[in-house]
Amino acid sequence: MLEVLHSLANLSTPLHHGVIFLFNGAEENILQASHGFITQHPWAKQVRAFINLEAAGVGGKEVVFQTGPENPWLVQAYVNAAKHPFASVVGQEVFQSGIIPSDTDFRIYRDFGNIPGIDLAFIENGFIYHTKYDTADRILTDSIQRAGDNILAVLKYLVMSEKLADASEYRHGNMVFFDLLGVVVVAYPARVGTILNYMVAAATFVYLAKKASLPGNAGGRYVRDLACATGVAILSWFVTLLSVLIVALLITLLGRSMFWYNHFYACVCLYGAATTGKMVFIHTLAKNLYYGGVRLVELGDLYFDVSLLLWCCGLVWLTHQGLCSAYVPMLMVAFPLATRLLLAKEFKHKGNHTSILIVMKRCV
């Protein structure tokens, strides 16, 4: 904040709007300082938007995990200005659902000041947070530089924006937003996302229905195999969850609870191995018992369709609940389905060429 203040103070171009830097305390004591400012300070009435800086870990990338409410122009400001974007609407909806037992000053400014804002936070190495190891020397200068680049760029964009003068005019729904490998942020209105989600779901059900309506016994056999494979997939999830819980219980009984938290590879070996082993076991068992005469290629196609079906059900449910996080199952359905259809068309196209060449050769 001091470096951003220093940079703004040395700008040659006059700012269109004022900037208040609020260094407040008492956050962990029921957010008293932010509440006192937004409800009692005379400057609070002049604030039209805010950027809240948080830390739920030490270093790493600072992620945008809350925006708004219902101010898509703020998301667009971040999209247009951030040098190193890292954002996801999934974090926003998970955090605001109350699943994570935590809170930030963002809620105070939003609920008591009716002010839109952006909430950013460091989340890496969360096991150090609020412990005796949470010291300044553990914060990497690269993380501070990255955050400073983003915050300064977004702040410059906002203080020159005409929308900041009367932000209430631009409140029109939520935004779906997510970054692609930290290079660019994709953002579009939630209502557009709803239409897109239902279109993808409809295309998936048409694709599956076409297979189920094959002539003769092929359609009925496909439906039975699809239902059985879906049951196997769900059973594998249940057995995997059960195996992971058993491993966690054994570690707890041995008095080594949470020892893996700062040992990534130990976590992978313990829980990753249990998860992979159980899923492979369930699917291998199903193949040997039920799909004894089915070729591996056909079995792969069947489980591809099962994946589409399950992700599509999740897509429809999340979209019906009005959650912007539905973009995740949408991507998990849209790209595999499009790839499958394009490849099928390509192979069919090549097959037709082959047949023509064979006929021509025979004619000669």
Side-chain angles (χ1 to χ4, degrees):
M1 289 176 67
L2 289 174
E3 287 296 318
V4 171
L5 174 58
H6 181 267
S7 297
L8 289 180
N10 287 278
L11 286 179
S12 58
T13 305
L15 304 181
H16 294 176
H17 306 283
V19 183
I20 299 173
F21 288 82
L22 178 60
F23 297 81
N24 63 337
E27 184 200 25
E28 309 303 336
N29 191 17
I30 325 180
L31 310 171
Q32 290 179 338
S34 57
H35 182 271
F37 173 81
I38 207 63
T39 58
Q40 300 180 35
H41 202 285
W43 289 356
K45 297 179 180 180
Q46 304 174 22
V47 179
R48 294 293 178 268
F50 68 91
I51 299 177
N52 187 48
L53 309 183
E54 287 289 341
V58 180
K61 300 177 180 179
E62 84 292 344
V63 59
V64 175
F65 68 100
Q66 290 192 97
T67 62
E70 298 188 347
N71 279 266
W73 66 275
L74 268 177
V75 178
Q76 289 295 343
Y78 181 84
V79 171
N80 295 331
K83 302 293 185 181
H84 318 286
F86 187 47
S88 175
V89 71
V90 175
Q92 171 175 294
E93 293 185 337
V94 169
F95 191 84
Q96 294 182 354
S97 68
I99 296 177
I100 300 176
S102 183
D103 205 354
T104 75
D105 290 329
F106 180 94
R107 178 181 63 83
I108 301 298
Y109 302 135
R110 179 195 65 194
D111 295 350
F112 292 90
N114 195 28
I115 304 171
I118 302 176
D119 212 359
L120 303 98
F122 293 115
I123 57 175
E124 191 171 294
N125 298 327
F127 60 91
I128 296 177
Y129 184 57
H130 281 191
T131 69
K132 64 180 181 179
Y133 304 106
D134 195 357
T135 56
D137 61 293
R138 294 183 179 272
I139 302 176
L140 299 177
T141 55
D142 293 350
S143 298
I144 300 297
Q145 184 66 55
R146 174 194 169 88
D149 289 343
N150 285 336
I151 295 165
L152 180 59
V154 174
L155 190 55
K156 284 182 178 179
Y157 185 93
L158 289 175
V159 295
M160 296 298 182
S161 174
E162 297 180 356
K163 296 180 180 180
L164 194 62
D166 190 2
S168 61
E169 292 186 4
Y170 303 97
R171 301 188 66 165
H172 51 86
N174 293 317
M175 290 282 285
V176 179
F177 60 91
F178 55 93
D179 70 281
L180 297 176
L181 302 176
V183 177
V184 64
V185 175
V186 177
Y188 49 87
R191 58 182 180 276
V192 174
T194 299
I195 297 173
L196 180 62
N197 294 344
Y198 281 129
M199 289 177 60
V200 171
T204 304
F205 287 128
V206 169
Y207 166 80
L208 296 175
K210 186 176 180 180
K211 283 193 169 185
S213 59
L214 293 173
N217 295 327
R221 186 173 66 252
Y222 171 77
V223 172
R224 291 193 300 270
D225 290 347
L226 183 67
C228 184
T230 302
V232 170
I234 296 175
L235 178 62
S236 69
W237 295 350
F238 175 77
V239 174
T240 300
L241 176 62
L242 184 62
S243 64
V244 169
L245 292 177
I246 291 174
V247 171
L249 178 61
L250 292 175
I251 293 175
T252 303
L253 293 176
L254 292 173
R256 301 287 291 170
S257 178
M258 300 292 285
F259 88 97
W260 47 265
Y261 206 87
N262 58 345
H263 295 85
F264 175 75
Y265 293 106
C267 179
V268 172
C269 292
L270 282 172
Y271 298 102
T275 300
T276 304
K278 289 299 180 182
M279 294 187 71
V280 170
F281 172 75
I282 290 293
H283 286 276
T284 303
L285 185 64
K287 173 183 176 298
N288 293 333
L289 293 180
Y290 184 78
Y291 303 103
V294 179
R295 294 184 303 163
L296 291 178
V297 175
E298 296 175 352
L299 193 60
D301 290 342
L302 181 62
Y303 274 98
F304 177 86
D305 293 346
V306 169
S307 176
L308 286 182
L309 177 62
L310 293 175
W311 278 112
C312 192
C313 291
L315 170 62
V316 172
W317 184 80
L318 289 175
T319 305
H320 180 70
Q321 296 296 317
L323 297 175
C324 297
S325 301
Y327 84 86
V328 175
M330 186 273 292
L331 295 178
M332 298 299 293
V333 171
F335 285 102
L337 179 60
T339 303
R340 168 56 62 90
L341 295 177
L342 290 174
L343 288 177
K345 183 178 180 180
E346 180 68 17
F347 287 141
K348 183 178 180 180
H349 185 63
K350 288 184 178 180
N352 290 338
H353 276 298
T354 304
S355 299
I356 293 172
L357 290 172
I358 293 173
V359 171
M360 290 178 64
K361 185 176 181 180
R362 286 175 179 171
C363 290
V364 173

